[in-house]
Amino acid sequence: MLAACSGPVDFTPEEFRSPEESVDAIPPEVVVESSFFARSTDGRHVDVAGAAPSGLVFATPHLDGRIGAIYVGSTLDYDVAQRVERVSPLRAPDGYTFVGFTAQAGQPAFPEDSDHPVAVVLNADGTALPLRNMFGGFARGSYGVRWEFIVACVPVDGTCMLEVTDEGKTVKVDLLQGVPAVDDAWTSNAGFRDRQMVGFTPAGGVFEREFTTSPPAGIEAQTGLFRIGYEPANAFLAPWNPVHGWASQDRQWLTVPMNARIEFEVVAANIELDLPGSFTYRSVAGEAMPLITPQTITTESVLRQEADVIPTFEVTGRDRSASLTFNANGRMVVDYAEIQGVTANFSSGAKPLQFEVVYRDGPDRFV
């Protein structure tokens, strides 16, 4: 009978046995130092009892994150403590409190690199605690980890700010209040927090217009037809880009690849298109928005596939729709067999090509 038992048998009467401690007993609580700071970066979500849901997005040109929840309290339970590599429940020292938050990775508009670094710190009552390599860094189209949990001790009457410095502007979030510091940096980065997709109706169209040469005396003038087709797609809207820097306050850069196709009939010309004079972007209110770059492009470079027509406008970024109109203007020359560079001019009326620009909310980046 004894041989069949799975372990030793205790024959001591129950009333004389010593109570045994459970192997799962939670260790006693530990009071942390006032400079306590910890971070969980394994990518798993940390559920902190008593934390207040947030959903506040902090986004800049090269960083994209969202605060899941914010915790302000005097204790961290055993499960949370384990996630920051502590072996006991934690208590803040007298006069101090824990301030912690979960952060979820999104999708930055531009990948961070050595030429465009991002500095992220937790400012705990004036002490800057660096948060290096936030979300494990961005590579191959995604961040290394999806979630982080960050916690520090601050005086009960102190301050605690999440600060992100990117391209000369510092976005700040007051973690004790759960609100951003609404200043120039916060306002300037609005387009990175609330991403918009850009569409065009119709999806494509063709503009055409006749031109006539003005050759020297004794050479016959010729009339040809210029035709350019556009299929605008993959437009990009952002308040900052590496070419133009920051847009003006309450403005964003709209860059539109037009996917131009060019052809001539009867006679070919090389046209230097005046793009600010050819494109007109108007807001819903009728305000014309300036075309910034490029100022000119030649039909020859497009035909040779050396360039595309890709205008960048400075727009409000607040409209749900707008209009984009094209009516070709520019200088042109035609090469005759016997003479090169003969001046030509548009010689017929034309029906401008018009697209409705439609803005819609981008997909959820935090899934």
Side-chain angles (χ1 to χ4, degrees), residues 63-113:
L63 182 71
D64 192 31
R66 181 172 68 181
I67 296 175
I70 300 173
Y71 173 74
V72 180
S74 60
T75 61
L76 294 176
D77 65 30
Y78 181 60
D79 290 339
V80 174
Q82 284 189 308
R83 297 296 298 278
V84 292
E85 300 181 347
R86 295 296 182 109
V87 296
S88 301
L90 305 177
R91 177 174 291 276
D94 290 343
Y96 285 80
T97 188
F98 290 117
V99 180
F101 67 99
T102 57
Q104 185 180 11
Q107 189 79 11
F110 301 94
E112 181 184 3
D113 57 34

Side-chain angles (χ1 to χ4, degrees), residues 24-358:
D24 295 326
I26 295 175
E29 191 175 73
V30 171
V31 177
V32 301
E33 61 278 8
S34 62
S35 60
F36 174 83
F37 167 62
R39 182 178 174 190
S40 173
T41 59
D42 61 11
R44 294 179 296 159
H45 179 260
V46 177
D47 187 10
V48 185
S54 172
L56 184 67
V57 174
F58 56 96
T60 63
H62 303 91
L63 182 71
D64 192 31
R66 181 172 68 181
I67 296 175
I70 300 173
Y71 173 74
V72 180
S74 60
T75 61
L76 294 176
D77 65 30
Y78 181 60
D79 290 339
V80 174
Q82 284 189 308
R83 297 296 298 278
V84 292
E85 300 181 347
R86 295 296 182 109
V87 296
S88 301
L90 305 177
R91 177 174 291 276
D94 290 343
Y96 285 80
T97 188
F98 290 117
V99 180
F101 67 99
T102 57
Q104 185 180 11
Q107 189 79 11
F110 301 94
E112 181 184 3
D113 57 34
S114 58
D115 293 329
H116 301 282
V118 181
V120 186
V121 301
L122 184 66
N123 189 326
D125 201 44
T127 299
L129 305 171
L131 302 175
R132 297 184 178 89
N133 203 34
M134 194 72 179
F135 302 124
F138 189 82
R140 297 181 179 88
S142 65
Y143 279 113
V145 298
R146 187 181 176 205
W147 286 94
E148 289 206 22
F149 172 64
I150 298 159
V151 61
C153 254
V154 300
V156 291
D157 58 353
T159 60
C160 192
M161 307 285 288
L162 173 65
E163 301 179 353
V164 181
T165 301
D166 192 354
E167 297 302 328
K169 295 182 183 289
T170 301
V171 168
K172 301 178 182 179
V173 175
D174 184 338
L175 294 169
L176 285 167
Q177 300 297 322
V179 297
V182 181
D183 53 14
D184 170 72
W186 183 260
T187 303
S188 295
N189 279 282
F192 291 118
R193 293 191 299 275
D194 302 315
R195 308 278 178 84
Q196 288 186 306
M197 307 288 287
V198 187
F200 299 87
T201 303
V206 177
F207 172 90
E208 61 181 30
R209 193 175 184 185
E210 290 184 345
F211 61 91
T212 301
T213 62
S214 300
I219 300 179
E220 183 178 356
Q222 294 188 14
T223 296
L225 180 66
F226 164 63
R227 187 177 291 119
I228 184 167
Y230 288 132
E231 292 181 359
N234 300 316
F236 184 70
L237 180 71
W240 179 94
N241 67 45
V243 175
H244 304 96
W246 289 101
S248 304
Q249 193 71 24
D250 297 325
R251 294 287 189 269
Q252 295 195 59
W253 304 119
L254 173 65
T255 299
V256 187
M258 298 298 293
N259 299 299
R261 306 176 316 280
I262 291 174
E263 59 183 31
F264 292 95
E265 289 186 5
V266 182
V267 61
N270 184 24
I271 305 174
E272 184 182 68
L273 288 170
D274 170 13
L275 295 185
S278 299
F279 282 102
T280 302
Y281 179 104
R282 290 193 182 278
S283 68
V284 170
E287 181 183 2
M289 300 295 178
L291 186 152
I292 305 302
T293 57
Q295 295 291 300
T296 62
I297 193 169
T298 65
T299 55
E300 183 176 0
S301 66
V302 176
L303 285 167
R304 290 180 177 178
Q305 297 185 336
E306 297 171 348
D308 188 15
V309 180
I310 309 177
T312 292
F313 302 87
E314 192 175 33
V315 304
T316 66
R318 298 186 304 272
D319 294 326
R320 301 305 291 180
S321 65
S323 65
L324 179 63
T325 304
F326 178 82
N327 191 355
N329 283 283
R331 299 181 302 172
M332 68 185 79
V333 294
V334 174
D335 291 337
Y336 280 59
E338 61 271 31
I339 186 172
Q340 307 293 301
V342 174
T343 301
N345 294 284
F346 288 117
S347 54
S348 69
K351 180 181 179 181
L353 180 59
Q354 183 165 315
F355 298 93
E356 180 187 9
V357 187
V358 180

